[in-house]
């Protein structure tokens, strides 16, 4: 199989680089400065084992690549960019007939739970992937991933549910590349569990690392809202203990020189000044479910709204004090 990684940023670059190291065929899809850097100098992947440069095929649009029946599409863009990518790739012809949407498997390797729904409108064969892979977009052409001995854990399954032989073959390729990939029939349980953890992303993005008690308290309030609305919606997420057991002893983090580990995905969006952030599909998912089921979600609404304002105004990541954020949350919750 050939892996076409749509969105060669932190996660896409780490997965694509590791697959290439293991001898699998990989094509990277990127835009702008990232595309130019990958085309000129290759992908520099920095891990605790050292830095390696992979000179892989890279394209900046679907029309630049001829698809075959052996291709696997890995969607690794932020969810706010999913619709445009899915529209563009789903209609591409595949050698032998039909389109990518009709023939090829598509993996949603993203935070949140919305992209699978978007994808299934356009692709017949959709797979969810719960990504636990701390990685950082260091600069155009360079990605760091600090996990060892495994780089990440990627629960994988058909969407909306089930498993199949394709999932097992993909998992075997990933596991040859230092990426543990348990194939599970209920992958969305894992993604909803990760969604609850990712409610902290907006806090980190606007105030910095979530370490002090006040920031942790805001997260716990957001988490409690999320737990309540998922219960009201009849959704049973993978719990904290279940997730911790799946990761236990499999990944540790080791520092390496020259590539400091940055914040999470939302923090990276602000630090790069992209103008967008994934809060609508993390905290906003909880707000949506709360409105559908009549449950107030003031904490997540403030986090969604504040993170979006930071992205829109291109404010500096971490530049709001925790006290300011707490004041906004308390005012909304009254």
């Amino acid at each position: 199989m050939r892996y076409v990684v749509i969105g060669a940023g932190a996660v896409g670059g780490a997965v694509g680089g590791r697959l290439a190291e293991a001898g699998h065929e990989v094509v990277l899809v990127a835009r702008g400065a990232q595309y130019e850097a990958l085309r000129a100098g290759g992908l520099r992947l920095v891990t605790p084992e050292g830095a390696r440069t992979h000179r892989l095929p890279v394209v900046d649009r679907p029309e630049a690549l001829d698809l075959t029946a052996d291709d696997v599409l890995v969607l690794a863009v932020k969810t706010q960019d999913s619709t445009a990518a899915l529209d563009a790739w789903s209609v591409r012809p595949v050698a032998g007939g039909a389109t990518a949407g009709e023939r090829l498997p598509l993996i949603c390797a993203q935070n949140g739970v919305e992209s699978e729904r978007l994808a299934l409108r356009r692709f017949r064969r959709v797979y969810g992937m719960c990504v636990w892979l701390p990685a950082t977009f260091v600069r155009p052409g360079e990605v760091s991933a600090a996990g060892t001995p495994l780089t990440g854990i990627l629960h994988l399954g058909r969407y909306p549910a089930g498993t199949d032989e394709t999932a097992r073959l993909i998992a075997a390729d990933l596991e040859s590349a230092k990426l543990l990939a348990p194939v599970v029939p209920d992958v969305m349980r894992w993604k909803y569990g990760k969604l609850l953890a990712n409610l902290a992303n907006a806090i980190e993005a606007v105030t910095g690392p979530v370490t002090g008690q006040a920031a942790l308290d805001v997260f716990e309030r957001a988490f409690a809202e999320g737990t309540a609305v998922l219960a009201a919606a009849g959704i049973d997420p993978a719990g904290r203990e279940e997730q911790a057991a799946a990761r236990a002893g499999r990944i540790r983090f080791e520092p390496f020189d020259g590539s400091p580990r940055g914040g999470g995905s939302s923090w990276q969006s602000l630090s790069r000044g992209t103008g967008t952030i994934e809060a609508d599909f993390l905290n906003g998912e909880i707000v949506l479910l709360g409105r559908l089921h009549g449950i107030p979600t003031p904490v997540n609404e403030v986090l969604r709204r504040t993170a979006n304002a930071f992205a829109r105004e291109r404010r500096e990541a971490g530049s709001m004090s925790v006290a300011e954020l707490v004041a906004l949350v308390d005012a909304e919750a009254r």
Side-chain angles (χ1 to χ4, degrees):
M1 294 184 288
R2 179 176 69 168
Y3 292 90
V4 180
V5 182
I6 304 167
V11 169
V15 171
R18 280 305 202 190
L19 283 169
E21 286 175 15
H24 302 290
E25 192 175 358
V26 174
V27 177
L28 301 177
V29 183
R31 300 177 298 178
Q34 177 71 339
Y35 167 71
E36 296 297 339
L38 293 172
R39 187 176 67 165
L43 170 68
R44 187 172 190 262
L45 177 62
V46 184
T47 70
E49 302 151 22
R52 293 158 307 286
T53 298
H54 304 285
R55 297 190 176 274
L56 303 173
V58 56
V59 299
D60 62 349
R61 62 193 187 282
E63 294 78 12
L65 183 66
D66 293 327
L67 296 174
T68 76
D70 293 325
D71 286 335
V72 175
L73 305 183
V74 181
L75 187 66
V77 300
K78 295 294 195 328
T79 304
Q80 61 267 28
D81 297 320
S82 288
T83 296
L86 291 165
D87 283 345
W89 285 92
S90 63
V91 299
R92 292 300 301 157
V94 177
T99 65
E102 294 168 309
R103 292 188 65 185
L104 299 185
L106 177 121
I107 303 169
C108 295
Q110 302 158 287
N111 287 333
V113 295
E114 180 65 18
S115 280
E116 286 81 2
R117 295 189 287 234
L118 296 171
L120 201 60
R121 293 180 173 92
R122 299 160 174 85
F123 283 82
R124 291 180 180 173
R125 301 168 63 194
V126 176
Y127 297 77
M129 176 177 281
C130 181
V131 178
W132 198 75
L133 194 168
T136 301
F137 181 97
V138 179
R139 60 182 62 87
E142 182 174 343
V143 168
S144 68
T148 189
L150 293 173
T151 296
I153 300 177
L154 311 171
H155 285 78
L156 177 67
R158 282 294 295 260
Y159 179 79
T163 64
D164 61 16
E165 184 61 18
T166 297
R168 288 184 281 273
L169 290 171
I170 293 168
D173 284 353
L174 292 168
E175 293 193 351
S176 74
K178 299 190 176 182
L179 295 160
L180 182 65
V183 176
V184 294
D186 53 357
V187 69
M188 297 311 291
R189 282 191 67 246
W190 292 89
K191 296 204 73 166
Y192 275 105
K194 180 79 176 337
L195 171 68
L196 291 176
N198 286 145
L199 299 179
N201 285 24
I203 305 171
E204 178 188 58
V206 303
T207 68
V210 184
T211 54
Q213 191 58 52
L216 290 170
D217 287 345
V218 173
F219 170 57
E220 288 301 332
R221 292 169 69 180
F223 191 95
E225 288 180 359
T227 301
V229 300
L230 292 186
I235 297 168
D236 176 30
R240 284 169 158 171
E241 291 184 0
E242 186 177 5
Q243 294 177 73
R247 298 192 298 264
R250 293 178 171 88
I251 299 181
R252 65 181 184 276
F253 301 107
E254 292 185 357
F256 31 70
D257 295 336
S259 297
R261 186 180 166 210
S265 55
S266 297
W267 183 91
Q268 291 181 51
S269 291
L270 292 185
S271 66
R272 292 167 58 194
T274 62
T276 66
I277 198 166
E278 59 192 340
D280 279 345
F281 303 101
L282 301 178
N283 308 93
E285 181 70 26
I286 300 307
V287 172
L288 171 63
L289 289 173
R291 290 171 179 169
L292 288 172
H293 296 280
I295 297 176
T297 56
V299 178
N300 282 286
E301 171 57 21
V302 167
L303 294 176
R304 184 200 67 81
R305 191 167 63 222
T306 305
N308 279 326
F310 263 65
R312 184 173 59 252
E313 298 164 11
R314 288 178 165 79
R315 295 171 64 181
E316 182 182 353
S319 59
M320 175 179 278
S321 72
V322 176
E324 288 178 280
L325 182 61
V326 170
L328 291 174
V329 167
D330 288 344
E332 184 78 15
R334 289 194 186 106

